[in-house]
């Protein structure tokens, strides 16, 4: 079966390329999972290495409707896209994607948080990570720490440092967000979802290892 991704608009290809480049900075062997939605949009997913999934939504056409590819191959395909927007996603890597994906629906809005707060938390967390990291990276105790609490009515949820690091590492929050810049926290029975201007991150509630490894 021919595997094709078509993104006619150059600015949209540039947006996806930025997403892929951030994924490669986190893991040079990253795998991107592309999925077509019924509304004509394509979602690009990556496991960040923090037990957090990151996703960017772009306008395009995908065939087949669900495929996985190497981030390096997709980056090359985006650079070499022809004028019509045809992109070669490279060799099939469907067997390399482990675990499931969050549902498209079923999330309730909990609260909106100023993006500047997350930027500040990420900066302070990076300092702590540098101070306490080992050869295996930041300690799990730091990554698992809830650095923000949000609530709505009887619903309350903590946002772990993992999600904050993932948001900033993927470039989803501007480096210097304005006062009106917000991120939106949503919740389902099984997933924590945080939406920022340039993408979203998802953290499995319960045991993330069951889904992300």
């Amino acid at each position: 079966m021919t595997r094709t991704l078509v993104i006619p608009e150059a600015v949209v290809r540039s947006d996806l390329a930025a997403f892929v480049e951030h994924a490669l900075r986190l893991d040079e062997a990253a795998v991107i999972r592309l999925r077509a939605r019924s509304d004509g949009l394509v979602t690009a997913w990556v496991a960040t290495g923090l037990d957090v999934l990151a996703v960017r939504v772009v306008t395009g056409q995908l065939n087949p409707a669900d495929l996985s590819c190497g981030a390096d191959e997709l980056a090359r395909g985006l650079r070499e896209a022809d004028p019509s927007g045809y992109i070669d996603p490279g060799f099939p890597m469907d067997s390399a994607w482990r675990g499931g994906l969050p549902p498209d629906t079923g999330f309730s809005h909990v609260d909106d948080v100023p993006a500047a707060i997350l930027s500040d938390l990420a900066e302070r967390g990076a300092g702590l990570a540098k101070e306490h990291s080992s050869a295996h990276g930041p300690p799990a105790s730091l990554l698992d720490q809830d650095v923000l609490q949000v609530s709505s009515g009887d619903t309350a949820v903590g946002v772990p440092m993992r999600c904050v690091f993932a948001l900033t590492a993927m470039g989803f929050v501007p480096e210097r967000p304005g006062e009106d810049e917000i991120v939106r926290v949503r919740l389902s029975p099984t997933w924590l979802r945080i939406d920022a201007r340039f993408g979203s991150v998802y953290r499995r509630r319960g045991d993330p290892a069951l889904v992300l490894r």
Side-chain angles (χ1 to χ4, degrees):
M1 179 184 292
T2 302
R3 292 155 48 93
T4 59
L5 173 63
V6 180
I7 301 178
E9 297 183 39
V11 66
V12 179
R13 293 197 298 272
S14 179
D15 286 346
L16 181 57
F19 172 88
V20 175
E21 289 299 330
H22 279 97
L24 284 168
R25 290 176 198 171
L26 288 172
D27 180 2
E28 61 184 14
V31 173
I32 304 293
R33 185 168 177 180
L34 301 171
R35 297 188 77 190
R37 297 196 331 196
S38 58
D39 55 6
L41 299 175
V42 173
T43 54
W45 293 88
V46 69
T48 62
L50 295 162
D51 281 341
V52 176
L53 292 175
V55 64
R56 184 83 164 92
V57 182
V58 297
T59 304
Q61 296 83 46
L62 181 68
N63 184 51
D66 189 343
L67 65 87
S68 296
C69 57
D72 54 348
E73 291 291 325
L74 181 56
R76 183 179 298 110
L78 286 162
R79 289 194 299 269
E80 298 174 355
D82 66 25
S84 69
Y86 170 81
I87 298 155
D88 180 2
F91 297 107
M93 295 193 67
D94 299 314
S95 62
W97 183 274
R98 299 178 181 178
L101 291 176
D104 293 331
T105 59
F107 289 86
S108 58
H109 176 219
V110 180
D111 201 3
D112 295 339
V113 179
I117 291 178
L118 292 184
S119 294
D120 181 58
L121 287 170
E123 185 176 345
R124 285 188 284 166
L128 288 171
K130 185 177 180 180
E131 181 180 349
H132 298 287
S133 289
S134 66
H136 303 289
S141 57
L142 172 62
L143 295 176
D144 289 333
Q145 181 180 353
D146 286 341
V147 292
L148 191 66
Q149 290 283 338
V150 295
S151 62
S152 176
D154 295 332
T155 302
V157 63
V159 176
M161 182 59 81
R162 294 179 179 275
C163 291
V164 176
F165 278 160
L167 276 168
T168 54
M170 289 300 298
F172 290 166
V173 177
E175 289 186 11
R176 296 181 179 178
E179 293 182 2
D180 296 332
E181 186 88 21
I182 58 102
V183 296
R184 181 153 290 173
V185 180
R186 291 187 170 100
L187 203 61
S188 81
T190 52
W191 291 90
L192 167 65
R193 168 181 168 182
I194 307 174
D195 300 321
R197 189 200 304 187
F198 300 120
S200 302
V201 298
Y202 290 73
R203 165 76 169 168
R204 175 76 162 154
R205 303 176 70 190
D207 186 358
L210 295 176
V211 174
L212 303 182
R213 292 175 182 167

